[in-house]
Amino acid sequence: MRKGILRLAALSSAAVLTTLSLSACGDDGGESQGPGKIGVILPDTKSSVRWENFDRPFLEQSFKAAGVEYDIQNAENSTQRFQTIADQMLTSGVSVLVLTGLDSNSAAAVQRKAQQQGVKTIDYDRLTLGGVADYYVSFDNVKVGEELGKGLQKCLGDEDANIVYLNGAPTDNNATLFSQGAHNILDKVTSYKKVAEQAVPEWDNQRAATIFEQMWTQQNGEIDGVLAANDGLGNAAISILKKNGRAGDVPVTGQDASVQGLQNILDGTQCMTVYKPVKQEADALAKIAVAVLKGQQAQTNGTTNDPQGKRQVPSVLLTPIGTDKSNIKRVVDDGFVKKEELCTGAYAAKCAEAGIQ
Ligand code: BGC
């Protein structure tokens, strides 16, 4: 009880301090009064453009609309930085801590520390295995993988095909689920043969290119389809296919509906991407965070199994959208990607052909 009062006092003085420093540096927003502050730690800037180009602005929008204070930071692919940011946020008195972890161990350590201080945590996009998050907000990630599988199958048809998998980081539970979903679809197609499958550490695009080049050499170029887990990994494979004069003949998948991925689709070098309307994810997160701030029960639409922690985490899971040339327009219509960004130069004609106005 006493601890609670002390914490409250610390909270309010921290809130005043942060409000002051915020107006000075302007890296934050929301209103100064309200039920408390939400801290968000995003993972990195390179594994996907989504974190800085989509998640940050959409989260800002959602928090502003909800009228809550927030602080969004990026760990820049360093678990040490992740830890430091978390410590700073806890000291500055955040009441809810939202994490997209780099790996489950470091994220779980932060969650336990937060819990000891009475701060609730929410897993955003990636589930922290063995963690103690109160909620999880994401897309149905097995379904994301199934969309990848279905997309590749649509591009390959039912002919015999040698397939390789470029999976995401082995430390990211989502990467496991994406691969699982893709296998759910592709393993059933008896004319396909998996000739290689490898995880790309840290989702590093450079390493993905090296890994794919090795696969290409080992298979003597006899690769007919590439199940790449996101647009960055897909683009790495495409760069090697280009070097070998085969880009466009070998379908490559992707995820995140990044401008680069979408342009590759318009070029015909990438077969599809998975569009995840991150605005919905950010809105769902803001709703839960606000309920938690107010001490209310948040609304969820399911649970997610944490096999390591042996528990079911209350979750909001959204639906991903498999996207190829036939429905690429939707991404622009939704305002996810701006036409001015996508349809530059030579892409203007290709955009028009795809019905993007
Ligand atoms: C996200 C993907 C993203 C990848 C790399 C995953 O956890 O769900 O959208 O492409 O991480 O950042």
Side-chain angles (χ1 to χ4, degrees):
M1 185 69 195
R2 198 147 161 251
K3 217 171 153 194
I5 294 167
L6 282 178
R7 183 165 160 69
L8 248 167
L11 254 176
S12 47
S13 54
V16 173
L17 275 177
T18 355
T19 317
L20 287 176
S21 68
L22 282 186
S23 31
C25 62
D27 69 343
D28 207 327
E31 288 164 13
S32 50
Q33 328 100 323
K37 192 162 97 178
I38 299 164
V40 180
I41 313 181
L42 298 174
D44 68 81
T45 57
K46 299 213 177 91
S47 67
S48 170
V49 293
R50 66 166 286 179
W51 308 113
E52 287 300 318
N53 292 4
F54 302 125
D55 293 87
R56 180 188 288 275
F58 284 133
L59 285 167
E60 282 171 354
Q61 257 183 38
S62 305
F63 291 145
K64 276 184 188 151
V68 285
E69 259 195 282
Y70 59 87
D71 181 9
I72 304 173
Q73 308 245 12
N74 193 307
E76 288 167 25
N77 201 31
S78 152
T79 49
Q80 203 180 337
R81 199 170 141 72
F82 192 91
Q83 178 89 46
T84 309
I85 295 170
D87 286 342
Q88 280 162 356
M89 285 182 172
L90 289 172
T91 321
S92 81
V94 295
S95 326
V96 179
L97 191 55
V98 178
L99 305 178
T100 306
L102 288 162
D103 65 76
S104 287
N105 280 351
S106 59
V110 165
Q111 289 180 347
R112 277 192 289 271
K113 198 182 257 184
Q115 191 182 46
Q116 276 162 13
Q117 300 185 26
V119 172
K120 303 257 184 203
T121 53
I122 305 174
D123 274 331
Y124 180 68
D125 203 74
R126 298 178 180 168
L127 183 73
T128 301
L129 299 178
V132 293
D134 298 276
Y135 295 98
Y136 177 44
V137 178
S138 193
F139 285 84
D140 179 333
N141 292 305
V142 173
K143 187 137 198 298
V144 170
E146 289 173 350
E147 290 300 330
L148 290 170
K150 282 186 210 163
L152 188 63
Q153 185 183 8
K154 193 171 157 193
C155 290
L156 281 172
D158 289 333
E159 307 274 289
D160 286 354
N162 288 344
I163 296 176
V164 300
Y165 288 68
L166 275 181
N167 296 333
T171 46
D172 177 356
N173 183 54
N174 285 348
T176 311
L177 303 179
F178 299 152
S179 161
Q180 191 184 310
H183 278 288
N184 287 349
I185 302 295
L186 298 174
D187 290 358
K188 287 196 215 124
V189 188
T190 48
S191 51
Y192 297 168
K193 187 173 161 211
K194 183 185 94 174
V195 293
E197 174 161 16
Q198 221 170 303
V200 179
E202 301 174 4
W203 292 90
D204 185 302
N205 295 186
Q206 215 66 47
R207 282 171 90 168
T210 310
I211 292 171
F212 182 71
E213 191 155 38
Q214 278 161 0
M215 288 176 172
W216 186 263
T217 313
Q218 266 160 20
Q219 300 304 323
N220 294 317
E222 283 166 24
I223 292 175
D224 306 303
V226 184
L227 195 291
N230 78 358
D231 287 350
L233 304 188
N235 192 61
I238 291 167
S239 72
I240 302 303
L241 290 171
K242 278 189 180 151
K243 245 171 90 175
N244 290 279
R246 296 290 307 281
D249 314 337
V250 180
V252 177
T253 63
Q255 171 182 187
D256 287 341
S258 63
V259 169
Q260 185 175 60
L262 297 169
Q263 288 183 336
N264 286 344
I265 292 178
L266 292 172
D267 281 339
T269 53
Q270 185 170 325
C271 120
M272 58 85 71
T273 186
V274 180
Y275 165 45
K276 300 190 292 190
V278 173
K279 172 91 178 90
Q280 292 175 15
E281 196 178 13
D283 279 346
L285 190 262
K287 250 197 195 153
I288 293 196
V290 169
V292 171
L293 281 179
K294 293 183 175 162
Q296 294 164 350
Q297 184 89 17
Q299 282 219 331
T300 50
N301 67 2
T303 56
T304 304
N305 181 41
D306 168 1
Q308 200 168 306
K310 297 194 175 51
R311 66 181 192 120
Q312 297 292 327
V313 188
S315 308
V316 173
L317 297 179
L318 303 158
T319 309
I321 305 164
T323 301
D324 58 15
K325 257 188 211 167
S326 68
N327 61 343
I328 197 168
K329 185 177 173 297
R330 155 102 194 245
V331 180
V332 177
D333 289 347
D334 271 13
F336 188 73
V337 161
K338 289 195 185 64
K339 188 188 164 193
E340 305 86 79
E341 281 176 88
L342 179 62
C343 308
T344 50
Y347 291 103
K350 294 177 181 179
C351 279
E353 225 174 276
I356 298 168
Q357 274 132 29

